[in-house]
Amino acid sequence: MKISKLSIKLLRYITPLVVLPSLFLGGFTLTTVTNSTQQQAQLTVSSFVEQQQQKILSYIKIYQSTTKLLSTSPVLSDYLTYNGESQFEKSKRQMALQDVFASYSEAYPDILSINLVNQQSESLAYNARNLSNPPNSYPFFAQVLASNLSQQYFMVPTDEGTTHLFFVQQILNSSSVSAASYVVIKVDPSIIHYSIFESPYKSAFNTLITGNGEILFSSSTPLKTVKLDHNEVEQIKYLSEHEELDRINLNSIDKPNMVGYAVQLSDDYYYLSTIPNHLLYESGQAIKSLTALIVILSIIALPILVFIVVKKLLINPIELLGEASHRVGDGDLSVFLPNQNTDEVGKLFQDFNYMIKQIRDFQGELEDYKLHLEEKVDNRTLALERMNQQLETAYTQAEQANELKSHFLANMSHEIRTPLTAIIGFTEQLLHNPDTQYSQRHLETMLRNSKHLLELINNILDLSKIEAEKLAVDQSEVDLQGIVDDVVDIIEPLCEQKELTLSINYQLPIPRTLNSDSTRLKQILIDICSNAVKFTEYGSVGMDISYDQSTELFEFVITDTGIGMSQGEIERIFKPFEQADSTITRRFGGTGLGLCIAKNLAQLLGGNVNVKSQQGVGSQFIVTINANYHGKVPDMLEALDAPTSKDNISQEFADTQFDARLLLAEDNPDNQELICLMLNAWGITPDLVNNGAQAVEKALVNDYQIILMDMQMPVMGGIEAVQMLRHAAYDGPIIALTANVMKHDIDAYLKAGCDATLAKPIDRLQLGKVLLKHLQIQAASDSKWDSLLKSEKFAQITQNYKRKLPNYLAQLEQHYQAQDWDALRALAHSLKGSAGCFGFMNIHSAAQTLEESLRTNDESHWHYAMLSLSEAIKYTLKKQPSNTESYSQSQS
């Protein structure tokens, strides 16, 4: 079989790539197995030994508690307090005590005996399970007497090769013995035996020894005469201190080459568990051999297997693809590669077959194209003709749009020039004939046309925002009757001029309020009602107000007896810049924007505007508005409230009598004069500045109750000026005057620090309301401040400050004599601020002079300034005026 060059190169690269990782993996596995075996043994033995340690300590603790409980027995106390009674009474007490001992022996099967002894180891009362006599002495009793502990335990081996536990409890304040008595309980340690014979491994050896090497318990045959030597004991102690599995040789008991783990029990006892060293690695040896075999097989077999797989999956398909490409190059387009795979090679074969198919198809299309070229030219000509027709249609539509634009501009020009003609004409008349008897009527005409011009501009702006989808509406609580009354106040004079009847009908009961945008709702109703009045020559205009509880919609039905409309006219009235008929514009005027804006606003408020009309009979506009109760039950209006009197700003200013200082920042002289006239009518004469920089300078020097700030000024604009004043701690109200009434503009002014905004042109009523609101807030704040100055607490604080003045005087003289000018300047700065706060203005002024002279290094004035400050402090200390009065006077 011929082996390709690619196969040889592939085998050369695959072999080291497979062999080296296999060797590394084998070495890593052997190391891991060894470490894992050691860690597993460490974990198993340590867990076992610590478990046995806890078991033994718990066992000891139980009998320590039992011994202590027995020592507190009332019967025992009664026996020990025996004081020379009869022999019969003594025997009776002893029998009762024996019963108590017997009950404890029955309750705890491991208790072999209970003995009550004195300091001479003499038995006072004794009970044994085997009915033996009490021992004459205990080997550990001397240790008990020498110890200061009240409770101890001892493990004592017996001659039979077993070990007993003894628990000793000291009993003090016993009157029947010389000094103290002891309860000694002898226990057969069954739990310790069981724990010794338990084992984590086969062939393990467990033992419990004392600190001097004496074996107490062991899992092997009892080692009666064996005692560990000193070196072996030290090994065990080392293991208990380091708490790790390590090598240990116990030659004394024939246990060499062991690994062990030891822990120290309470006192000088040690628990040791050992296993033969060779057992530690038995489990891992088989894994090591198996791993080595797998590594060897991998080194031999894997390169061969990888080569076979790669040759089948990659090299053979490449050779087949190369042969097919050669055939295609020779012009054989019948080549087809078999493809049963879905991998990348199969995708390559599929793409190759697709490429051959495309070449065949393109050759067929080329032949077909040659045969049908003339037919395709005819089809292309027809397509070009249809395209020309579409271009002509688009051109016609563009001309119509241009014509509509021209019509709109002409209409706007007419609508804007009409009120401007009246304003300019009557203004010229008043300038030439100021004393004419019709001046009042001319002024009213100018005002009416100005408002009409402003309304026209607002409509154009509203429409542009609606078409750009940037018109935002608010949602707040709106008083229904208040809104309707405001609309009536505007529409009623229009009806009276045309001798029309105006009627308002509420379908009671009806909710008192709704959640909507009051400004936009009022705009909708005023536009539709004013339209109704405009197109009604005689008869009436009415508004019916009702509420649908199921849909939570308010319905305002405006009905007139005007000219009416046909169905075709109804379809056009809500389009911008269109009216029902071109003759309508000539007869009644208007831009055709009102109804379009009203419908869009109603939809933004969750409702709509619909119309019913009949030519020559009249029209009916139905306005629906969402109440936005969100499931809440509204407060119902059962009867209409009595009408309230309208605001009279001038009267409120006259009644309140504010003594207000006001700053007006406005760069336009005409606006300055107009606003000053409005303010002068209310008894307020403002200070004037022409830009924001001057406003900041004046506001920081003078004490103004309120600032009116234009937002667009030269040198420094309004926003920058407001931000600078707020950073300088000016906390008075600042009112923004602006012609930019977009919501994002107003939000920017409020964020900069303005308290409110007033739109230009300035509305006199709105200006008055804003001034009254903020001046009343300032007046309330000043009243609280005056009350604070007159309070007893402020007088006490001022008096405390005055007591500190002698200390300040001494510090001043000390710094001056020591020529510590920095400290002197710092103290002068502190006195300047604190003295001014408490009304000592003479100290404030002298401290300011000293601080300035020290800052400018003007040594010629230092002595004079220092002398002035010292004399000011001395003068203040001599006089005793009312501090609060002096402070209030200084502030005023």
Side-chain angles (χ1 to χ4, degrees):
M1 181 181 68
K2 181 180 178 182
I3 301 178
S4 64
K5 295 180 180 180
L6 181 60
S7 301
I8 296 174
K9 186 181 294 186
L10 187 63
L11 187 60
R12 186 183 304 164
Y13 283 106
I14 287 176
T15 301
L17 291 176
V18 173
V19 170
L20 292 178
S22 299
L23 291 174
F24 174 77
L25 181 61
F28 177 76
T29 303
L30 291 175
T31 305
T32 304
V33 168
T34 302
N35 294 336
S36 176
T37 303
Q38 292 176 346
Q39 292 175 1
Q40 183 65 30
Q42 166 82 17
L43 179 62
T44 302
V45 176
S46 63
S47 299
F48 168 75
V49 173
E50 290 171 1
Q51 180 180 1
Q52 303 309 318
Q53 177 192 22
Q54 294 298 323
K55 187 184 299 183
I56 292 172
L57 291 178
S58 299
Y59 183 74
I60 292 172
K61 189 173 182 180
I62 289 172
Y63 281 99
Q64 283 180 331
S65 300
T66 303
T67 306
K68 187 174 182 179
L69 180 64
L70 177 58
S71 67
T72 60
S73 170
V75 177
L76 179 59
S77 299
D78 186 48
Y79 178 77
L80 292 176
T81 55
Y82 170 72
N83 192 14
E85 297 178 359
S86 63
Q87 187 64 30
F88 173 76
E89 186 65 28
K90 180 178 180 181
S91 300
K92 182 179 179 182
R93 291 171 184 265
Q94 190 170 22
M95 290 179 63
L97 183 59
Q98 291 285 351
D99 292 340
V100 172
F101 287 174
S103 65
Y104 271 81
S105 297
E106 292 176 1
Y108 298 94
D110 287 345
I111 295 179
L112 300 178
S113 67
I114 303 175
N115 193 8
L116 176 65
V117 300
N118 58 18
Q119 284 189 330
Q120 288 74 36
S121 189
E122 297 173 350
S123 177
L124 303 178
Y126 181 75
N127 178 272
R129 187 178 294 276
N130 58 1
L131 303 178
S132 62
N133 294 323
N136 295 326
S137 65
Y138 293 99
F140 52 80
F141 202 72
Q143 185 177 348
V144 171
L145 295 176
S147 175
N148 293 327
L149 299 176
S150 62
Q151 187 181 65
Q152 302 177 64
Y153 75 91
F154 302 92
M155 296 185 185
V156 181
T158 65
D159 295 337
E160 292 79 13
T162 60
T163 300
H164 288 157
L165 271 174
F166 290 89
F167 294 91
V168 182
Q169 176 69 45
Q170 185 183 35
I171 305 174
L172 299 176
N173 299 326
S174 178
S175 61
S176 63
V177 293
S178 58
S181 300
Y182 300 89
V183 173
V184 181
I185 297 181
K186 179 181 179 182
V187 177
D188 182 14
S190 59
I191 295 297
I192 298 179
H193 282 295
Y194 296 150
S195 68
I196 290 294
F197 282 97
E198 291 181 0
S199 176
Y201 290 98
K202 292 181 180 180
S203 302
F205 170 72
N206 302 326
T207 184
L208 193 152
I209 65 172
T210 63
N212 56 10
E214 187 176 1
I215 296 177
L216 299 175
F217 303 92
S218 68
S219 58
S220 298
T221 304
L223 305 172
K224 299 180 180 179
T225 60
V226 178
K227 183 177 180 180
L228 302 181
D229 60 27
H230 177 73
N231 183 42
E232 293 170 338
V233 173
E234 289 301 319
Q235 291 184 58
I236 295 173
K237 289 183 178 180
Y238 175 83
L239 292 178
S240 66
E241 290 175 358
H242 291 80
E243 295 185 356
E244 61 182 12
L245 190 67
D246 204 352
R247 294 180 180 274
I248 184 172
N249 291 309
L250 302 175
N251 295 320
S252 300
I253 55 176
D254 194 20
K255 297 291 184 182
N257 297 324
M258 307 287 284
V259 288
Y261 189 92
V263 294
Q264 183 179 4
L265 303 178
S266 59
D267 298 327
D268 198 20
Y269 301 104
Y270 296 88
Y271 187 98
L272 173 67
S273 179
T274 64
I275 58 174
N277 190 26
H278 67 275
L279 291 179
L280 185 65
Y281 301 102
E282 281 184 355
S283 59
Q285 191 62 39
I287 298 177
K288 292 180 182 178
S289 302
L290 181 60
T291 302
L293 179 61
I294 292 174
V295 169
I296 294 172
L297 292 176
S298 299
I299 292 173
I300 297 173
L302 278 179
I304 298 174
L305 292 176
V306 170
F307 174 75
I308 293 173
V309 172
V310 171
K311 181 174 176 57
K312 179 180 179 182
L313 297 180
L314 186 61
I315 296 177
N316 291 341
I318 290 176
E319 292 177 348
L320 183 61
L321 183 62
E323 182 182 352
S325 301
H326 185 73
R327 290 174 58 189
V328 171
D330 293 339
D332 184 5
L333 297 180
S334 63
V335 176
F336 180 81
L337 293 178
N339 181 25
Q340 293 85 22
N341 299 323
T342 58
D343 55 10
E344 285 76 6
V345 174
K347 183 70 167 54
L348 183 62
F349 280 18
Q350 181 181 350
D351 291 343
F352 182 84
N353 294 333
Y354 179 75
M355 179 186 69
I356 300 302
K357 179 179 180 300
Q358 289 292 97
I359 293 174
R360 290 197 299 264
D361 292 343
F362 287 154
Q363 285 185 344
E365 289 179 2
L366 182 60
E367 294 296 330
D368 184 69
Y369 185 78
K370 292 178 180 178
L371 296 174
H372 301 88
L373 180 59
E374 184 176 351
E375 180 181 353
K376 290 183 178 181
V377 170
D378 292 339
N379 292 335
R380 183 62 56 86
T381 303
L382 292 174
L384 288 174
E385 290 178 355
R386 287 195 295 270
M387 186 177 294
N388 288 333
Q389 292 176 356
Q390 293 174 358
L391 289 174
E392 290 177 359
T393 303
Y395 179 75
T396 303
Q397 292 175 351
E399 285 185 335
Q400 292 175 351
N402 190 40
E403 183 180 352
L404 181 62
K405 174 185 174 182
S406 300
H407 177 70
F408 163 69
L409 291 175
N411 196 12
M412 286 301 101
S413 176
H414 170 75
E415 288 297 323
I416 293 173
R417 289 175 182 275
T418 299
L420 279 177
T421 300
I423 294 170
I424 295 172
F426 283 111
T427 301
E428 290 176 347
Q429 289 297 322
L430 288 175
L431 287 174
H432 290 95
N433 302 299
D435 298 328
T436 179
Q437 60 177 336
Y438 300 108
S439 59
Q440 179 66 28
R441 190 171 65 185
H442 295 343
L443 290 172
E444 291 175 355
T445 301
M446 292 164 60
L447 178 61
R448 183 173 63 255
N449 282 274
S450 299
K451 290 183 177 180
H452 175 69
L453 183 60
L454 177 62
E455 180 184 358
L456 177 63
I457 295 172
N458 287 335
N459 283 341
I460 296 173
L461 291 176
D462 284 345
L463 182 65
S464 65
K465 286 187 285 185
I466 289 172
E467 291 182 344
E469 297 182 354
K470 292 185 177 180
L471 182 65
V473 294
D474 297 328
Q475 189 177 114
S476 58
E477 188 174 80
V478 179
D479 179 57
L480 176 64
Q481 188 177 350
I483 284 287
V484 175
D485 289 346
D486 289 345
V487 174
V488 170
D489 289 342
I490 296 172
I491 301 303
E492 193 169 33
L494 301 179
C495 291
E496 290 175 355
Q497 291 177 4
K498 301 183 71 173
E499 297 182 355
L500 301 177
T501 302
L502 177 63
S503 61
I504 306 296
N505 301 313
Y506 290 88
Q507 302 296 324
L508 298 175
I510 196 170
R512 186 180 298 274
T513 61
L514 68 155
N515 296 316
S516 188
D517 190 321
S518 60
T519 302
R520 297 304 181 182
L521 176 57
K522 189 187 301 184
Q523 180 180 350
I524 295 169
L525 297 179
I526 290 174
D527 282 346
I528 296 178
C529 289
S530 60
N531 261 358
V533 174
K534 182 196 299 185
F535 296 109
T536 302
E537 296 293 338
Y538 58 90
S540 63
V541 174
M543 182 192 298
D544 291 314
I545 304 142
S546 61
Y547 172 69
D548 189 342
Q549 188 172 0
S550 61
T551 60
E552 290 192 356
L553 290 177
F554 276 88
E555 188 174 81
F556 302 86
V557 181
I558 295 94
T559 306
D560 63 65
T561 58
I563 61 175
M565 294 174 288
S566 65
Q567 185 60 37
E569 293 168 344
I570 291 175
E571 293 175 355
R572 294 197 303 270
I573 59 171
F574 291 116
K575 295 181 180 179
F577 313 115
E578 291 194 17
Q579 290 186 330
D581 195 337
S582 59
T583 58
I584 298 296
T585 304
R586 294 191 297 271
R587 180 179 175 187
F588 295 99
T591 61
L593 296 178
L595 291 177
C596 174
I597 294 173
K599 187 176 182 69
N600 282 277
L601 289 177
Q603 291 172 348
L604 287 174
L605 297 181
N608 206 347
V609 177
N610 296 302
V611 62
K612 299 177 182 178
S613 184
Q614 185 177 352
Q615 280 186 323
V617 176
S619 303
Q620 185 181 73
F621 287 83
I622 301 98
V623 181
T624 56
I625 301 295
N626 196 332
N628 295 309
Y629 291 135
H630 305 296
K632 296 181 180 179
V633 179
D635 180 22
M636 302 303 288
L637 184 67
E638 301 293 341
L640 297 179
D641 297 331
T644 57
S645 59
K646 301 300 177 181
D647 295 332
N648 190 333
I649 298 299
S650 299
Q651 186 62 41
E652 288 193 42
F653 271 99
D655 294 341
T656 311
Q657 296 181 348
F658 290 113
D659 184 14
R661 289 195 68 183
L662 187 145
L663 177 65
L664 172 62
E666 170 64 62
D667 61 314
N668 186 291
D670 297 331
N671 288 342
Q672 286 182 355
E673 184 178 1
L674 174 62
I675 297 174
C676 286
L677 286 174
M678 293 181 180
L679 297 174
N680 292 339
W682 300 324
I684 299 175
T685 301
D687 291 346
L688 298 176
V689 292
N690 297 314
N691 56 62
Q694 295 176 359
V696 172
E697 182 179 354
K698 276 223 168 194
L700 295 179
V701 173
N702 301 301
D703 185 18
Y704 291 108
Q705 278 71 42
I706 195 166
I707 297 176
L708 299 177
M709 183 77 71
D710 185 24
M711 289 294 102
Q712 292 186 352
M713 293 181 290
V715 183
M716 180 185 289
I719 290 183
E720 294 84 354
V722 172
Q723 291 174 339
M724 188 173 294
L725 285 173
R726 293 310 187 197
H727 290 160
Y730 176 80
D731 59 353
I734 301 177
I735 311 302
L737 305 179
T738 177
N740 300 326
V741 293
M742 298 294 186
K743 188 176 186 301
H744 63 274
D745 293 322
I746 295 175
D747 292 340
Y749 303 150
L750 297 178
K751 185 178 180 180
C754 295
D755 296 276
T757 59
L758 286 174
K760 291 182 180 180
I762 304 297
D763 184 90
R764 179 176 177 275
L765 180 60
Q766 291 299 322
L767 175 62
K769 287 182 178 179
V770 170
L771 290 179
L772 279 172
K773 174 184 175 182
H774 290 283
L775 288 175
Q776 287 168 354
I777 293 174
Q778 287 292 97
S781 177
D782 293 342
S783 176
K784 291 180 180 178
W785 179 247
D786 292 340
S787 300
L788 175 62
L789 295 179
K790 297 176 182 178
S791 66
E792 182 179 349
K793 183 175 181 181
F794 183 79
Q796 181 63 38
I797 295 174
T798 307
Q799 198 64 29
N800 292 340
Y801 177 77
K802 193 172 182 180
R803 292 193 189 101
K804 298 178 182 178
L805 289 178
N807 183 34
Y808 290 146
L809 181 59
Q811 292 181 31
L812 286 170
E813 294 174 350
Q814 179 182 354
H815 294 328
Y816 186 77
Q817 293 174 2
Q819 296 185 358
D820 190 352
W821 310 121
D822 291 336
L824 184 63
R825 186 176 65 182
L827 183 56
H829 177 78
S830 175
L831 282 171
K832 180 185 70 173
S834 59
C837 290
F838 289 100
F840 302 121
M841 302 310 295
N842 56 340
I843 299 177
H844 167 81
S845 178
Q848 184 177 9
T849 302
L850 177 58
E851 181 189 13
E852 291 176 355
S853 64
L854 290 171
R855 183 182 291 112
T856 58
N857 295 322
D858 189 359
E859 298 184 12
S860 61
H861 291 82
W862 289 359
H863 179 73
Y864 174 76
M866 175 65 187
L867 183 62
S868 298
L869 180 56
S870 301
E871 291 301 322
I873 295 176
K874 293 176 183 177
Y875 175 77
T876 302
L877 290 172
K878 290 179 182 178
K879 58 182 292 189
Q880 298 291 332
S882 173
N883 293 316
T884 55
E885 292 178 3
S886 64
Y887 182 78
S888 61
Q889 292 169 2
S890 67
Q891 292 296 312
S892 62

